[in-house]
Amino acid sequence: MTSAPLSASDERVEQLIILTERLTDLIARQATAFEARRPHEAARHVEETAKLANVYRHESARVRGNVALVQAAQPDRRRRLVRATEAFDAVLARQSRAIAAAKTVTEGLVRAVANEIAAQRPQAAGYGPSAHGAGYANNATAITLNRKA
């Protein structure tokens, strides 16, 4: 027994489901890597995630601009798309929390290193030509920071 061919709307919704589920899986892997404090593992999927996210953005905009593209799809297929989109939104929120936590930890480490370097630098003893700033002449340590680091 063969199944009937899918309508254009059903086909589009099915493709959106596949795209959304794949993107959800990749972002979940990245979130897991960040949560495990292994950002280098998250980097493995950056290229594919970026490509799929771009396709997702493009297709989402197309559907928002013309709902008729998916409106005629079977109700159960549209419900699957809604569930896939809800799962995608949840994993995006999880990834956002994981990245924010990793950023906070990284910034704290950078700040701690900068403070330690600053504490170990020699202090200048005054201003002007007779000031004792020779400690700086022999110190080859350089660091540039801004408030965001």
Side-chain angles (χ1 to χ4, degrees):
M1 180 164 117
T2 61
S3 60
L6 296 177
S7 71
S9 290
D10 284 322
E11 182 65 33
R12 179 173 299 277
V13 169
E14 194 62 38
Q15 291 302 316
L16 286 170
I17 291 168
I18 292 167
L19 172 64
T20 303
E21 288 174 345
R22 178 65 183 142
L23 193 52
T24 299
D25 179 58
L26 288 170
I27 292 173
R29 288 181 190 196
Q30 289 179 331
T32 299
F34 279 113
E35 291 164 349
R37 293 174 180 80
R38 301 176 72 88
H40 59 281
E41 289 179 8
R44 292 180 190 159
H45 306 291
V46 168
E47 189 175 331
E48 183 179 4
T49 302
K51 286 178 185 176
L52 290 179
N54 192 41
V55 171
Y56 182 86
R57 180 191 57 77
H58 179 73
E59 290 300 317
S60 295
R62 181 181 290 174
V63 169
R64 270 192 303 274
N66 185 3
V67 178
L69 292 172
V70 296
Q71 206 165 27
Q74 297 173 7
D76 64 321
R77 191 165 274 123
R78 288 195 328 253
R79 280 191 295 276
R80 281 182 45 225
L81 179 58
V82 168
R83 283 193 305 270
T85 302
E86 290 168 348
F88 177 64
D89 289 342
V91 85
L92 280 177
R94 176 181 164 206
Q95 183 195 40
S96 178
R97 289 188 302 272
I99 289 173
K103 179 181 179 237
T104 300
V105 169
T106 302
E107 287 175 348
L109 288 172
V110 169
R111 217 173 277 113
V113 168
N115 290 339
E116 185 61 27
I117 289 171
Q120 291 181 11
R121 282 191 166 174
Q123 299 297 316
Y127 294 98
S130 64
H132 300 288
Y136 284 113
N138 296 326
N139 185 350
T141 304
I143 188 164
T144 301
L145 298 174
N146 62 26
R147 291 208 175 270
K148 296 210 181 232

